[in-house]
């Protein structure tokens, strides 16, 4: 903002000279302003349903939740920070369990054509199933809502990581393998020093997709399983008809998902060493 | 400095090197003729790439292989490396038939084949540690450093391949192949992907290193000047299919050689003319057969 202000002041005849980023930012502000304006006016004029709060009320409530995220007045009255952390802990735990299954299995089927073909029908059939379909099964088997949530998240996290790991391991550049063959490297050394580092970018991109989907699923799982977490909060606030809290939760969930994705994006660049995927 | 690197397995300045014998080697790439590829019209015929190749290479000689594109030079080199098996015939090193790749043969790849996640030093150390796992880590690093020095990459040890130019990458490739102290160095168009200046510079480097090490080298190249500058013998191959060895030229120039003064040798121009004639004749024949084939397909 600053650097654009100076030339404008110095040369009043000249028009705004903004770069793409600045233009995009201004447009972003414009769109945001329009949405808030229509929302505010619409809510006041009664264009929407009775339940719909005004933009200003929502922003006020949003700020109230954000400015004090870590209060705790009992199980049904906790700050949004605690709610997020509860869900995040579940997602990370379930994701860790899922990845601990998916990565070794992916390596195995990536290395062995026979195992790959044998396991493929299972993967092909189970992969397209919505993770929530597993939920009743989890409840029935585990008889515990907390374990069921972890179970659903773990199942969710398996598929993208499994498939990407398999692809990365079975598509290692032939010339790397030729190098290790000419050196007479053992199978174990080839696996640990060449195949896994070469597959790492694919594995991480699988993990990135997995955690994205796991974060999508946790909200639904918590709504169904209940008890605690941001998903349960959304459902609870709907029962209290507090739409402002729901909108706040939606924004916070979105930001958290974005952060998780960026984190794995960084990890991806870190293991890629200039290779393009 | 260089002698100490070589003394890993030998004692003299000249490293251990063995006689290489290629005996009646032929290579057929079998086509696909199962019912599935026939049904999808993807069936292919068998392709006889090499037919009855015989070649004896004395220790400590620099041999170049030159021939029209697609004649089977890489196929032959991969067979020597052990990366692919001949359909018939044998390759022997020091009288022992080879059946698999091994560290007695160092390979320099055209696409460098450096591990992107390893630094320059790690790439070279990986080779040394794989071949000599019992050596102490400090010794492995010391040897790697010596070869980094040998190829003139001092100061770039901690860089990753994507931070290097093509010429620097191939220096790493050469250092990695030499660092395991192989008896034979195999290079498949090592400078093919480099620009002319870098190429000339690296050729001079290879000439300099060869003067110090005198390993048996087999170099595949498309460049007549490169072959003349570096080789003791030049193997000229005919076009494929069924490529054979057309002729083996002796290159009598004294060493050390310098590219500026090389053409003053009386034999230079006649050798060059002979190679040019051979290559252009083979290449023209390849083109003509291709044209005839397309005409035949069209009509
Ligand atoms: N895996 C393969 N299957 C079938 N045919 C192959 C295979 N590899 C190579 N060929 C054929 O064998 C012939 C020789 O190939 P090769 O790569 O050895 O030639 P080259 O002399 O190294 O060529 P260039 O100069 O272009 O590198 C070519 O006609 C090629 O099409
Ligand atoms: Mg080739």
């Amino acid at each position: 903002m600053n650097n654009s202000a100076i030339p404008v002041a110095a040369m009043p005849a000249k028009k705004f000279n903004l770069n793409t980023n600045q233009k995009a930012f201004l447009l972003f502000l414009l769109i945001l302003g329009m949405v808030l304006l229509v929302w505010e006016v619409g809510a006041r004029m009664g264009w929407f349903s009775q339940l719909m709060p005004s933009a200003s009320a929502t922003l006020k409530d949003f700020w109230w939740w954000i400015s004090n995220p870590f209060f705790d007045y009992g199980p049904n009255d906790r700050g949004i920070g605690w709610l997020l952390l509860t869900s995040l802990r579940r997602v990370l735990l379930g994701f860790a369990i899922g990845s601990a299954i998916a990565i070794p299995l992916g390596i195995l089927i990536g290395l062995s054509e026979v195992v790959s073909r044998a396991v493929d029908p299972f993967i092909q059939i189970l992969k397209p199933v919505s993770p929530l379909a597993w939920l009743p099964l989890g409840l029935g088997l585990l008889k515990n809502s907390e374990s069921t949530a972890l179970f659903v998240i773990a199942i969710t996290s398996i598929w993208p990581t499994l498939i990407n790991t398999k692809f990365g391991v079975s598509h290692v550049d032939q010339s790397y393998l030729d190098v290790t063959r000419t050196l007479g490297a053992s199978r174990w050394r080839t696996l640990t020093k060449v195949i896994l580092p070469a597959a790492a970018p694919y594995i991480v991109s699988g993990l990135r997709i997995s955690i994205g989907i796991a974060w999508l699923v946790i909200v639904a799982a918590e709504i169904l399983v209940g008890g605690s977490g941001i998903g349960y909060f959304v459902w609870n606030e709907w029962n209290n008809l507090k739409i402002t809290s729901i909108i706040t939760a939606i924004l916070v969930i979105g930001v958290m998902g974005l952060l998780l994705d960026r984190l794995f994006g960084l990890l991806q660049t870190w293991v890629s060493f200039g290779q393009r995927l | 400095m260089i002698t100490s690197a070589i003394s890993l397995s030998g004692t003299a300045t000249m490293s251990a090197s063995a006689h290489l014998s290629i005996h009646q080697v032929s290579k057929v790439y079998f086509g696909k003729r199962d019912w599935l590829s026939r049904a999808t019209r993807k069936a292919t015929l068998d392709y006889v790439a090499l037919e009855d190749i015989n070649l004896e290479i004395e220790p400590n000689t620099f041999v170049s292989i030159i021939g029209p594109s697609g004649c089977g030079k890489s196929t032959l080199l991969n067979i020597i490396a052990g990366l692919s098996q001949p359909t018939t015939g044998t390759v022997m090193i020091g009288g022992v038939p080879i059946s698999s790749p091994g560290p007695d043969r160092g390979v320099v790849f055209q696409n460098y084949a450096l591990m992107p996640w390893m630094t320059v030093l790690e790439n070279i150390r990986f080779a040394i540690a794989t071949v000599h796992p019992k050596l102490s880590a400090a010794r492995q690093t010391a040897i790697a450093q010596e070869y980094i020095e040998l190829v003139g990459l001092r100061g770039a040890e901690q860089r990753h391949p994507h931070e290097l130019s093509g010429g620097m990458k191939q220096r790493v490739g050469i250092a990695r192949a030499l660092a395991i102290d192989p008896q034979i160095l195999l290079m498949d168009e090592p400078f093919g992907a480099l620009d002319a200046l870098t190429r000339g510079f690296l050729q001079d480097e290879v000439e300099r290193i060869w003067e110090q090490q005198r390993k048996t080298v087999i170099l595949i190249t498309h460049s007549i000047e490169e072959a003349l500058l570096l080789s003791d013998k030049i193997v000229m191959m005919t076009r494929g299919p069924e490529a054979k060895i057309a002729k083996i030229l002796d290159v009598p120039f004294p060493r050390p050689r310098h590219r500026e003064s090389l053409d003053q040798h009386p034999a230079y121009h006649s050798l060059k003319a002979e190679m040019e004639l051979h290559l252009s004749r083979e290449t023209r024949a390849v083109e003509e057969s291709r044209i005839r084939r397309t005409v035949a397909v069209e009509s």
Side-chain angles (χ1 to χ4, degrees), chain B:
Chain B
M1 176 116 315
I2 283 102
T3 15
S4 65
I6 292 150
S7 64
L8 186 67
S9 72
T11 43
T13 23
M14 255 189 221
S15 59
S17 192
H19 185 94
L20 175 74
S21 164
I22 299 168
H23 188 63
Q24 291 184 338
V25 162
S26 65
K27 176 76 182 181
V28 182
Y29 288 112
F30 292 103
K32 279 193 250 169
R33 265 175 309 185
D34 54 299
W35 63 269
L36 186 66
S37 26
R38 270 194 217 177
T40 52
R41 289 175 165 256
K42 279 188 188 142
T44 49
L45 296 174
D46 290 352
Y47 184 84
V48 184
L50 300 173
E51 170 103 341
D52 197 23
I53 302 278
N54 289 287
L55 186 62
E56 301 293 324
I57 296 175
E58 298 298 322
N60 310 105
T61 28
F62 197 120
V63 178
S64 292
I65 299 178
I66 200 162
S69 187
C71 73
K73 304 180 293 293
S74 298
T75 303
L76 182 60
L77 200 82
N78 285 337
I79 289 173
I80 300 173
L83 292 171
S84 98
Q85 297 296 322
T87 310
T88 63
T90 44
V91 177
M92 290 189 279
I93 294 176
V96 185
I98 59 153
S99 57
S100 61
D104 53 344
R105 284 147 286 156
V107 185
V108 178
F109 296 85
Q110 177 172 6
N111 63 353
Y112 322 123
L114 304 179
M115 316 289 170
W117 54 90
M118 297 183 191
T119 62
V120 168
L121 182 68
E122 286 165 350
N123 263 289
I124 298 170
R125 257 198 59 169
F126 170 72
I128 300 169
T130 307
V131 177
H132 304 288
K134 296 220 171 68
L135 238 46
S136 74
R139 185 84 188 95
Q140 290 170 356
T141 309
I143 297 171
Q145 287 287 2
E146 281 164 24
Y147 281 92
I148 286 172
E149 204 125 325
L150 176 70
V151 298
L153 274 181
R154 198 158 153 203
E157 293 94 336
Q158 298 307 330
R159 288 206 236 163
H160 283 92
H162 70 276
E163 301 164 311
L164 304 177
S165 69
M168 289 164 84
K169 282 184 202 165
Q170 198 53 295
R171 284 167 191 263
V172 182
I174 293 171
R176 178 177 62 186
L178 288 174
I180 59 169
D181 194 28
Q183 301 188 4
I184 299 175
L185 185 64
L186 305 171
M187 304 202 270
D188 189 352
E189 293 183 49
F191 315 128
L194 302 177
D195 64 271
L197 272 176
T198 314
R199 198 184 165 119
F201 202 60
L202 273 191
Q203 287 164 359
D204 293 342
E205 289 281 286
V206 167
E207 154 71 12
R208 175 179 67 77
I209 293 168
W210 195 79
E211 297 297 345
Q212 291 170 2
Q213 305 221 331
R214 302 243 165 180
K215 282 189 188 302
T216 303
V217 178
I218 301 179
L219 168 81
I220 291 178
T221 179
H222 275 131
S223 158
I224 292 173
E225 287 79 12
E226 185 171 299
L228 285 171
L229 175 69
L230 297 172
S231 331
D232 300 311
K233 283 185 196 301
I234 298 174
V235 176
M236 296 198 296
M237 288 179 67
T238 64
R239 64 184 181 274
E242 295 163 30
K244 299 175 196 59
I245 292 175
K247 192 170 180 189
I248 301 176
L249 302 174
D250 278 309
V251 186
F253 314 143
R255 291 179 184 269
R257 296 174 183 169
H258 302 284
R259 74 174 61 247
E260 304 82 29
S261 55
L262 204 62
D263 60 351
Q264 283 156 22
H265 194 278
Y268 182 85
H269 292 285
S270 63
L271 277 175
K272 192 174 171 192
E274 182 170 359
M275 290 167 74
E276 272 167 0
L277 181 68
H278 171 80
L279 277 184
S280 65
R281 200 170 47 211
E282 293 295 321
T283 308
R284 188 176 314 125
V286 171
E287 286 299 312
E288 272 167 10
S289 73
R290 278 205 192 117
I291 291 166
R292 265 201 301 281
R293 203 181 320 147
T294 32
V295 170
V297 169
E298 276 164 9
S299 59

Side-chain angles (χ1 to χ4, degrees), chain A residues 172-173 175-186 189-190 193-195 197-199 271-275, chain B residues 81-84 101-103 105 107 109 111 113-118 125-127 129-131 160 162 176 180:
Chain A
V172 174
D173 192 330
S175 60
Y176 303 158
L177 298 175
D178 283 348
V179 170
T180 56
R181 283 179 68 203
T182 59
L183 295 171
S186 65
R189 190 169 168 81
T190 307
K193 295 283 179 176
V194 177
I195 294 178
V271 298
S272 288
F273 296 103
Q275 299 167 89
Chain B
L83 292 171
S84 98
R105 284 147 286 156
V107 185
F109 296 85
N111 63 353
L114 304 179
M115 316 289 170
W117 54 90
M118 297 183 191
R125 257 198 59 169
F126 170 72
T130 307
V131 177
H160 283 92
H162 70 276
R176 178 177 62 186
I180 59 169

Side-chain angles (χ1 to χ4, degrees), chain A residues 162-210:
Chain A
L162 180 67
I163 289 162
N164 268 36
T165 305
K166 188 218 154 187
F167 182 87
V169 167
S170 58
H171 284 75
V172 174
D173 192 330
Q174 185 58 42
S175 60
Y176 303 158
L177 298 175
D178 283 348
V179 170
T180 56
R181 283 179 68 203
T182 59
L183 295 171
S186 65
R187 276 181 72 92
W188 177 249
R189 190 169 168 81
T190 307
L191 178 67
T192 54
K193 295 283 179 176
V194 177
I195 294 178
L196 291 185
Y202 295 95
I203 299 176
V204 175
S205 96
L207 291 174
R208 187 178 180 179
I209 302 169
S210 284

Side-chain angles (χ1 to χ4, degrees), chain A residues 46 48-53:
Chain A
F48 316 124
S49 129
Q50 289 269 300
L51 282 174
M52 188 71 180

